[in-house]
Amino acid sequence: MKLRATITLLSAATLMQAQQPAQTPAPPSTAAEPAQQPDLTPTDQGYSITARSTLVLVPALVKDKSGKLIYTLKASDFRLTDDGIPQPLRLEEDNGGQPLAMVICVEVGGAGRNHLHDYDGLGPMLDNMLGGIPHKVSIVAFDSTPTLVHRWSSHLDSISQTLASQDPGDSGGAVLDAVNFSVNLLRPVPTTYRRAILLLSETKDNGSHTTLGQALRAISDTNTAIYSVAFSSNRVEEAGAASKLSSDEPGPDHGCFSHDPKTDKVVKTDGSVGPAEESKGTQYFDCAAELAPPLVLARMAEIAARNLLRKNISESVAKLTGGESFKFKDVKTLDRDLFTIANHIPNRYVLSFHPQNPHPGLHAVSLTLPNYDHLTIEARSSYWVDDTTTATPPASNAPVTPKQ
């Protein structure tokens, strides 16, 4: 594999020709765009990739036990399964020169109000990450509501100035809404661009209207890598924040997942009390067991992904998309984390495959190195395929006028 010193991010989701110019809920870009557009299906609330999208990209970072990056592997060294089914892989040999579209998604509300000064001097770091390749960047600032504060631009000086001039927001920190908003900004980006989100936020959500299911679909149905650098919340109620997230019903009416689990203690015939018949967790696992392979793997992956999102959103969205997550406390640790991201990205393997008869919904992806037990690998764990006949639109945030 030929590696470059420039920054390499995940490429766009589909390599299909567009029938019409795509639209997006976000305000239009002022920058000139190439004519080519991704194959998107219009809906009332946005766009979603359909089952016709057959190319899935899997970026992978490989290290040895000491943490040293390994970049001499070939496609034949990797083994990938899609819902347990092995897939033939292709390794992109040299994609470092491909242009990049990045959304910088920064929390200005909640605990983020204490970190606005940390972004004053990010110009040199952004230049290190983006200066060596064609790029365009937009900025989304969020508190209780995500707002587009900088339209697509390739001018890093103006981008740095916008980051440094953000005013404190309200007490909210709607991370899922902001991520969903950012994904929607990237949907109509031409397929000649790679897509990425740099998320600067706390680890917990506070106030999102996006449900866990909608969030999972949003981050899984485009080939967008999310790199998160998170700070801790100082809220007393942080531990209960995850429980406040909106949730979806896990299954259709009268289905196995539709009823409440039998969590009441059992009263035996002799009057003694026994343990509950099941918990929510055992209900999920028992219901998933009723599905036929490979759907059982996909369902188990969806359950695991939802639970992951409840625990730590910033870390979860990075892991699920094949990006990386870090934590920072101050300017020094933020610079260190961004430097690490800039160093790791060009040394990622970019693997791709065409799913064989993909079913609609979430797919469980597993990437391994069978002959290299001493190496560790970080890669995306899922992707989403829409059903063209019954697809429902992804959650969308209403466009907000950029701040002047």
Side-chain angles (χ1 to χ4, degrees):
M1 174 183 176
K2 185 186 296 183
L3 297 172
R4 299 171 59 98
T6 54
I7 303 303
T8 304
L9 287 179
L10 191 60
S11 61
T14 60
L15 299 177
M16 312 274 292
Q17 291 184 345
Q19 297 176 349
Q20 303 179 23
Q23 304 295 324
T24 177
S29 170
T30 57
E33 297 284 3
Q36 187 180 11
Q37 298 288 341
D39 185 14
L40 300 174
T41 299
T43 68
D44 292 338
Q45 295 183 330
Y47 290 80
S48 59
I49 293 180
T50 70
R52 291 174 294 169
S53 303
T54 57
L55 183 67
V56 178
L57 301 179
V58 183
L61 189 69
V62 181
K63 305 176 185 178
D64 63 16
K65 293 183 179 180
S66 67
K68 180 182 177 181
L69 298 180
I70 304 299
Y71 44 83
T72 56
L73 301 174
K74 304 181 295 294
S76 58
D77 294 319
F78 295 89
R79 181 178 186 272
L80 183 140
T81 61
D82 178 359
D83 289 341
I85 301 174
Q87 303 288 326
L89 281 174
R90 172 189 172 91
L91 176 62
E92 302 297 329
E93 293 294 339
D94 185 7
N95 62 352
Q98 190 175 5
L100 164 68
M102 172 183 279
V103 176
I104 301 176
C105 186
V106 55
E107 181 178 350
V108 298
R113 293 175 292 189
N114 300 324
H115 291 275
L116 295 181
H117 63 281
D118 293 338
Y119 312 135
D120 291 346
L122 289 187
M125 186 57 64
L126 291 177
D127 185 67
N128 182 40
M129 294 182 68
L130 306 169
I133 55 174
H135 61 267
K136 63 178 184 177
V137 180
S138 64
I139 302 175
V140 171
F142 70 95
D143 44 22
S144 295
T145 304
T147 305
L148 178 62
V149 296
H150 196 107
R151 299 171 185 266
W152 292 115
S153 171
S154 60
H155 301 293
L156 294 181
D157 288 342
S158 64
I159 292 165
S160 300
Q161 291 173 6
T162 300
L163 277 174
S165 61
Q166 292 305 299
D167 296 323
D170 60 30
S171 61
V175 182
L176 288 182
D177 284 352
V179 169
N180 182 63
F181 187 92
S182 300
V183 169
N184 281 334
L185 281 176
L186 287 163
R187 290 185 187 280
V189 168
T191 57
T192 53
Y193 281 77
R194 290 161 290 168
R195 303 171 181 178
I197 295 172
L198 176 61
L199 176 63
L200 304 172
S201 74
E202 55 190 306
T203 59
K204 302 292 184 181
D205 187 279
N206 182 39
S208 282
H209 299 286
T210 302
T211 66
L212 289 175
Q214 290 168 337
L216 181 59
R217 173 174 173 179
I219 64 176
S220 300
D221 75 350
T222 62
N223 280 329
T224 299
I226 300 178
Y227 298 86
S228 67
V229 187
F231 45 85
S232 296
S233 171
N234 53 14
R235 297 190 188 93
V236 176
E237 67 271 18
E238 177 184 354
S243 63
K244 299 177 183 178
L245 290 174
S246 300
S247 184
D248 305 298
E249 288 298 327
D253 293 341
H254 309 298
C256 179
F257 288 98
S258 65
H259 73 273
D260 291 330
K262 301 173 183 178
T263 55
D264 293 334
K265 294 183 180 297
V266 175
V267 179
K268 300 179 181 179
T269 55
D270 61 0
S272 61
V273 178
E277 291 184 31
E278 61 180 348
S279 65
K280 195 68 175 176
T282 56
Q283 179 201 23
Y284 281 173
F285 281 85
D286 290 344
C287 291
E290 295 181 9
L291 301 174
L295 295 181
V296 60
L297 291 177
R299 186 56 178 164
M300 295 297 287
E302 182 175 355
I303 294 169
R306 287 179 185 237
N307 289 336
L308 194 64
L309 285 170
R310 288 185 179 275
K311 295 177 181 179
N312 185 323
I313 289 176
S314 58
E315 179 181 344
S316 301
V317 294
K319 181 177 181 180
L320 291 170
T321 61
E324 288 187 277
S325 64
F326 301 87
K327 292 183 179 179
F328 81 96
K329 297 180 180 179
D330 49 31
V331 175
K332 182 178 180 180
T333 54
L334 175 61
D335 285 346
R336 179 199 63 197
D337 295 339
L338 292 179
F339 180 82
T340 302
I341 292 174
N343 181 47
H344 283 183
I345 290 172
N347 290 311
R348 284 178 176 268
Y349 298 87
V350 180
L351 302 152
S352 63
F353 71 98
H354 292 275
Q356 307 299 313
N357 300 317
H359 64 79
L362 193 74
H363 286 238
V365 174
S366 174
L367 185 66
T368 59
L369 291 165
N371 299 321
Y372 298 90
D373 294 337
H374 63 290
L375 300 180
T376 61
I377 184 169
E378 298 176 7
R380 71 185 302 173
S381 59
S382 63
Y383 72 96
W384 187 283
V385 172
D386 265 349
D387 186 341
T388 56
T389 60
T390 61
T392 57
S396 174
N397 302 99
V400 181
T401 303
K403 297 178 182 178
Q404 301 298 325

